[in-house]
């Protein structure tokens, strides 16, 4: 089940909210969220609900033992056990097949590759529970004694499948006590409608067009224009797709009084690759910074080694395939270059030039991300640079661009902080007087309704509705 499915939009989520507000006690409301979250997870993989329950139970008790342990040696052993178990689960389900395939590259080894179905969202909830246990070990957070709150923290369906990765300390107080106002619920509905439209109207359209152009079977007739158009559409799709999920997760949390941190900050406005990664999937970047980079020594000891390890792990986290490792190392090169070369220049390059350089670096990076087969990725590079393209422009590519030029302009505008400008305009109008304020609310109500109707129509009439990050 995905947020952009009609089943979720018109049955699951309304039912959840109805049950949630049926009674006002925190125990009832937490219980509703737990039951609905487990149902949401079990919808796709009922067997793996046992895994997430076991993960919650193990880490709940280990965190309590870590906090109660007075001896540093015992504390370290328990923390090591927690990390080993969590990464062991992740490694077994996500990387066993990849490890065997890699071994099979050795000429004299031919092992059967196991077909292990990966639990949805395991990369996200593993990092989430790891951050909780490590924070308890460091003394930066208290162990939760109520198992139901630990279970709720780990299984919340809002962000279980694709983030943002939340820290326990960010929501600990709200899991115990929270209030929800009509204003909060309405603000959540507004953001959910915007996120749904971003997914249904923008991401899905970009993705369908990108897949038509970037399909390796179509390489024989792909022009330079077609290659550039395809990878640009994928760059837009992955941003709209993932940020839309985060928008909807944050919105649903807001409706029930839970405040998750932002996960995207208009990354395509960045003036460097380093800045791009401060704005893109911010919860993942902060996890690797706080739990890998800084503990290894950060900038103080072996900064290049630490950076290399972080980006190799970042790539591997995204998928059990060598293209993701190469993708991670690709970003290591750019960020190391910016950190150790560009940052030391007395005269900085012009901002416009840096922005163009950043966009090109990111777009080329998406080529490595899109194709799990490295040979296909380099095949597209050949098309982009005109080395193996059939021509600069083909009638098919020109027609695709012509038919979608207005959509592309709209999609590019949507990458800008339009919502911030609209909120500022709303504030200024509402401050003029009572009637202006009522007019602004009526317009917002109509816009939300329009976005929901357009999104529903698009989802009902189109079967193309993937969530890219579900596979991670």
């Amino acid at each position: 089940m995905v947020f952009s499915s009609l089943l979720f939009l018109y049955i699951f989520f309304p039912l959840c909210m109805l049950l949630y507000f049926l009674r006002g006690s925190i125990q009832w409301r937490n219980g509703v969220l737990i039951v609905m979250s487990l149902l949401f997870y079990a919808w796709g993989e009922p067997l793996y609900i046992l895994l997430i329950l076991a993960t919650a139970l193990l880490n709940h008790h280990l965190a309590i033992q870590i906090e109660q342990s007075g001896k540093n040696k015992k504390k370290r052993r328990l923390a090591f056990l927690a990390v080993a178990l969590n990464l062991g689960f992740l490694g077994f389900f996500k990387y066993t097949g990849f490890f065997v395939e890699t071994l099979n590259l050795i000429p004299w080894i031919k092992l059967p590759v196991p077909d292990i179905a990966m639990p949805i969202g395991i990369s996200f909830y593993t990092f989430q529970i790891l951050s909780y246990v490590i924070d308890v070990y460091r003394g930066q957070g208290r162990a939760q004694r109520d198992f139901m709150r630990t279970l709720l923290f780990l299984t919340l369906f809002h962000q279980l499948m694709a983030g943002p990765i939340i820290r326990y300390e960010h929501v600990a107080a709200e899991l115990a006590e929270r209030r929800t106002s009509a204003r909060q619920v309405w603000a959540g509905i507004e953001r959910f409608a915007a996120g749904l439209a971003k997914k249904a109207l923008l991401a899905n359209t970009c993705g369908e067009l990108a897949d038509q152009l970037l399909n390796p079977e179509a390489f024989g007739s792909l022009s330079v224009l077609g290659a550039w158009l395809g990878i640009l559409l994928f760059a837009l799709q992955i941003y709209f797709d993932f940020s839309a999920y985060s928008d909807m997760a944050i919105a649903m949390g807001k409706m029930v009084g839970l405040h998750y941190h932002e996960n995207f900050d208009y990354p395509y406005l960045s003036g460097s690759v380093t800045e791009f990664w401060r704005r893109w999937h911010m919860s993942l970047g902060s996890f690797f910074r706080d739990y890998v980079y800084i503990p290894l020594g950060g900038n103080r000891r072996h900064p290049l080694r630490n950076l290399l390890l972080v980006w190799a792990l970042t790539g591997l986290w995204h998928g059990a395939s060598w293209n993701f490792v190469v993708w991670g190392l690709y970003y290591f090169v750019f960020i190391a270059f910016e950190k150790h070369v560009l940052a030391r220049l007395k005269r900085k390059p012009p901002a416009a030039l840096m922005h163009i350089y950043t966009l090109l670096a990111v777009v080329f990076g998406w080529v490595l991300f899109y194709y799990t087969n490295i040979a296909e990725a380099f095949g597209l590079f050949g098309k982009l640079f005109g080395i193996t393209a059939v021509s600069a422009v083909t009638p098919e590519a020109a027609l695709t661009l012509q038919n979608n030029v207005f959509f592309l302009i709209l999609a590019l505008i949507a990458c800008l902080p339009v919502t911030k400008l609209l909120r500022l305009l709303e504030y200024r109008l509402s401050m003029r007087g009572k009637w202006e304020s009522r007019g602004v609310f009526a317009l917002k109500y109509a816009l939300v309704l329009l976005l929901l109707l357009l999104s529903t129509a698009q989802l009902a009439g189109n079967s193309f509705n993937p969530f890219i990050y579900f596979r991670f």
Side-chain angles (χ1 to χ4, degrees):
M1 194 187 309
V2 295
F3 295 168
S4 56
S5 69
L6 298 179
L7 173 67
F8 179 87
L9 292 172
Y10 293 104
I11 298 177
F12 181 89
F13 188 59
L15 178 62
C16 177
M17 294 299 287
L18 177 66
L19 292 172
Y20 182 86
F21 286 111
L22 202 60
R23 293 176 59 183
S25 72
I26 194 68
Q27 292 81 9
W28 169 265
R29 291 182 170 184
N30 283 353
V32 167
L33 288 177
I34 289 170
V35 171
M36 296 305 286
S37 295
L38 293 176
L39 284 173
F40 179 87
Y41 192 75
W43 185 265
E45 297 178 352
L47 181 63
Y48 283 149
I49 200 170
L50 299 176
L51 176 64
I52 200 167
L53 287 171
T55 300
L57 188 62
L58 279 169
N59 286 279
H60 175 76
H61 289 294
L62 282 170
I64 293 172
Q65 290 180 45
I66 288 169
E67 187 174 71
Q68 291 176 340
S69 176
K71 297 180 180 180
N72 286 335
K73 189 175 287 187
K74 184 181 178 182
K75 215 171 190 177
R76 281 196 297 271
R77 286 176 179 170
L78 288 169
F80 178 81
L81 177 62
V83 172
L85 284 171
N86 286 296
L87 292 182
F89 287 147
L90 178 63
F92 174 77
F93 286 102
K94 188 169 181 176
Y95 299 105
T96 300
F98 173 63
F99 178 71
V100 173
E101 286 174 354
T102 303
L103 281 179
N104 284 343
L105 295 176
I106 301 172
W108 58 86
I109 296 179
K110 293 296 176 188
L111 298 172
V113 179
D115 185 17
I116 301 172
M118 188 178 74
I120 296 172
I122 190 171
S123 299
F124 288 90
Y125 73 69
T126 297
F127 275 22
Q128 197 158 293
I129 202 66
L130 274 175
S131 70
Y132 165 60
V133 174
I134 294 170
D135 283 352
V136 171
Y137 167 73
R138 291 173 173 177
Q140 296 173 348
R142 299 297 306 274
Q144 175 57 253
R145 262 57 181 180
D146 185 342
F147 173 67
M148 299 308 286
R149 289 184 196 167
T150 306
L151 182 61
L152 177 59
F153 163 70
L154 187 64
T155 61
L156 266 168
F157 71 86
H158 304 153
Q159 39 65 242
L160 173 68
M161 302 294 194
I165 300 167
I166 60 173
R167 310 278 181 94
Y168 179 73
E169 286 305 303
H170 294 167
V171 294
E174 292 174 342
L175 293 178
E177 188 60 48
R178 60 187 179 273
R179 298 180 186 277
T180 308
S181 65
R183 185 183 294 271
Q184 273 186 309
V185 173
W186 174 248
I189 292 171
E190 283 182 352
R191 182 151 188 184
F192 187 91
L196 180 64
K198 190 190 290 186
K199 165 62 182 167
L201 304 178
L202 297 178
N204 286 359
T205 305
C206 288
E208 197 164 14
L209 290 169
D211 284 355
Q212 292 171 10
L213 291 163
L214 300 180
N215 189 332
E217 293 179 3
F219 271 13
S221 60
L222 192 61
S223 64
V224 175
L225 175 63
W228 278 98
L229 185 58
I231 200 59
L232 172 62
L233 284 162
F234 177 69
L236 292 170
Q237 179 202 4
I238 196 168
Y239 168 62
F240 292 137
D241 192 270
F242 194 15
S243 65
Y245 189 100
S246 294
D247 286 339
M248 288 187 277
I250 292 167
M252 289 187 290
K254 190 174 290 188
M255 290 182 214
V256 297
L258 294 166
H259 295 84
Y260 309 138
H261 286 201
E262 294 293 337
N263 210 23
F264 288 86
D265 183 21
Y266 306 103
Y268 289 141
L269 298 181
S270 302
S272 68
V273 174
T274 304
E275 184 186 354
F276 174 84
W277 279 101
R278 291 195 190 114
R279 292 169 172 259
W280 179 280
H281 200 353
M282 295 185 287
S283 60
L284 179 67
S286 65
F287 180 93
F288 276 113
R289 179 196 65 210
D290 296 341
Y291 299 105
V292 180
Y293 186 71
I294 292 175
L296 285 172
N299 293 327
R300 294 176 288 106
R301 290 183 290 116
H302 311 295
L304 270 179
R305 180 207 65 184
N306 299 340
L307 199 63
L308 175 64
L309 183 58
V310 162
W311 281 101
L313 290 174
T314 300
L316 198 57
W317 178 88
H318 279 85
S321 175
W322 280 108
N323 72 295
F324 291 114
V325 177
V326 173
W327 177 75
L329 296 177
Y330 168 88
Y331 275 110
F332 158 73
V333 171
F334 277 99
I335 291 173
F337 170 72
E338 291 179 1
K339 198 178 186 71
H340 296 281
V341 178
L342 281 184
R344 296 177 181 178
L345 294 177
K346 292 182 179 179
R347 188 175 179 180
K348 305 300 180 187
L353 183 62
M354 285 298 296
H355 183 62
I356 293 169
Y357 142 81
T358 302
L359 288 178
L360 287 174
V362 170
V363 167
F364 291 150
W366 290 135
V367 176
L368 298 169
F369 194 94
Y370 184 86
Y371 296 102
T372 54
N373 186 317
I374 296 290
E376 291 174 353
F378 280 100
L380 187 70
F381 280 123
K383 304 292 183 182
L384 290 170
F385 293 106
I387 299 170
T388 57
V390 293
S391 64
V393 181
T394 57
E396 293 80 9
L399 185 62
T400 301
L401 178 60
Q402 182 181 332
N403 289 343
N404 296 281
V405 65
F406 292 111
F407 169 77
L408 273 171
I409 293 169
L410 176 64
L412 291 170
I413 291 171
C415 295
L416 304 174
V418 177
T419 52
K420 288 184 178 180
L421 293 173
L422 290 176
R423 279 196 294 268
L424 179 62
L425 180 62
E426 172 200 344
Y427 174 76
R428 289 181 175 176
L429 287 173
S430 61
M431 292 300 289
R432 288 185 176 183
K434 182 173 67 174
W435 289 107
E436 287 85 348
S437 180
R438 289 179 178 177
V440 166
F441 181 79
L443 283 172
K444 286 171 63 178
Y445 185 86
L447 179 60
V448 167
L449 186 60
L450 178 63
L451 290 177
L452 288 174
L453 288 173
L454 289 174
S455 299
T456 300
Q458 176 70 5
L459 294 170
N462 194 342
S463 61
F464 186 88
N465 188 32
F467 255 129
I468 295 174
Y469 268 71
F470 268 17
R471 56 182 168 156
F472 306 135

